[in-house]
Amino acid sequence: MLHNRIMGFEAKARSRLVVFGVSLALLILGGAVLQTSVFGKLTYIGAVPDIMLCIVTCVAYFNGRHHGAITGLAAGALIEAIASSGIVLLPLFYMLFGYIAGHYARAVQPKRFVPYLFYLMFALFLRAGLTVLYACLTYQSIHLLQILIHAVLPEMLATALAGICLYFPLMLFCRKVKA
């Protein structure tokens, strides 16, 4: 009797893990489709928002470092597979950021909007550095001021707006899947 009860708990835990994994995969796939197709055509401020960065930040913030790292690795690999520029740094960047953000988010209790904004701003500055690194590796002669004005700042603004708009749906997703 006790053995059957323990096996039932293990099966329930495995099924919850599968549901979480499938839900997270669908969220990442939906974010990738939005980022590469829909927002790729609707560049309202001159840049495409980095939806994957918002997803990784929210998952790491609400579900912890391991989920953040796995989400970051999957999100970066998917974006690089869809729209690769030849330089593959996004999976590593998203994985490290997801792990670090999830690690430090453990101390933030309760999970609120204002601390999330600090995590998002930190992520935006790190992503801006990665964008500058991409530009340096892609082009031979770069003008830093021109890259900042025409690429980095619009991307930061678009991603910040997307991260603010996506906070509440992603928070509900993370809480629903975690429960």
Side-chain angles (χ1 to χ4, degrees):
M1 179 77 166
L2 182 62
H3 179 68
N4 290 340
R5 181 180 257 176
I6 291 172
M7 292 302 290
F9 288 132
E10 288 177 3
K12 189 174 182 179
R14 272 191 239 121
S15 68
R16 284 180 49 204
L17 185 64
V18 168
V19 167
F20 177 74
V22 168
S23 301
L24 197 58
L26 290 175
L27 176 69
I28 291 170
L29 185 63
V33 167
L34 280 175
Q35 182 173 333
T36 56
S37 64
V38 176
F39 287 121
K41 296 191 182 0
L42 300 173
T43 56
Y44 45 90
I45 55 176
V48 177
D50 193 353
I51 303 295
M52 290 298 165
L53 185 64
C54 302
I55 290 173
V56 170
T57 303
C58 264
V59 169
Y61 183 68
F62 288 110
N63 290 358
R65 60 186 176 200
H66 298 295
H67 291 152
I70 291 169
T71 303
L73 184 64
L78 185 61
I79 286 296
E80 287 293 350
I82 291 174
S84 180
S85 62
I87 305 167
V88 182
L89 295 176
L90 281 179
L92 179 65
F93 171 76
Y94 284 149
M95 181 186 67
L96 289 174
F97 177 75
Y99 186 84
I100 292 168
H103 177 73
Y104 287 109
R106 292 185 305 174
V108 178
Q109 294 296 335
K111 305 289 187 203
R112 303 271 183 198
F113 183 65
V114 174
Y116 165 76
L117 288 179
F118 285 111
Y119 278 90
L120 184 62
M121 290 304 133
F122 181 67
L124 289 175
F125 282 107
L126 288 177
R127 182 66 168 101
L130 187 65
T131 302
V132 170
L133 180 65
Y134 269 134
C136 290
L137 292 174
T138 304
Y139 306 111
Q140 289 181 352
S141 64
I142 64 165
H143 301 285
L144 189 60
L145 186 63
Q146 189 175 15
I147 288 174
L148 288 175
I149 291 173
H150 295 291
V152 174
L153 292 178
E155 182 183 73
M156 286 177 71
L157 183 61
T159 305
L161 291 173
I164 290 169
C165 293
L166 290 174
Y167 170 76
F168 291 106
L170 289 173
M171 175 190 66
L172 291 175
F173 171 81
C174 289
R175 287 186 179 169
K176 187 74 171 174
V177 171
K178 194 175 182 179

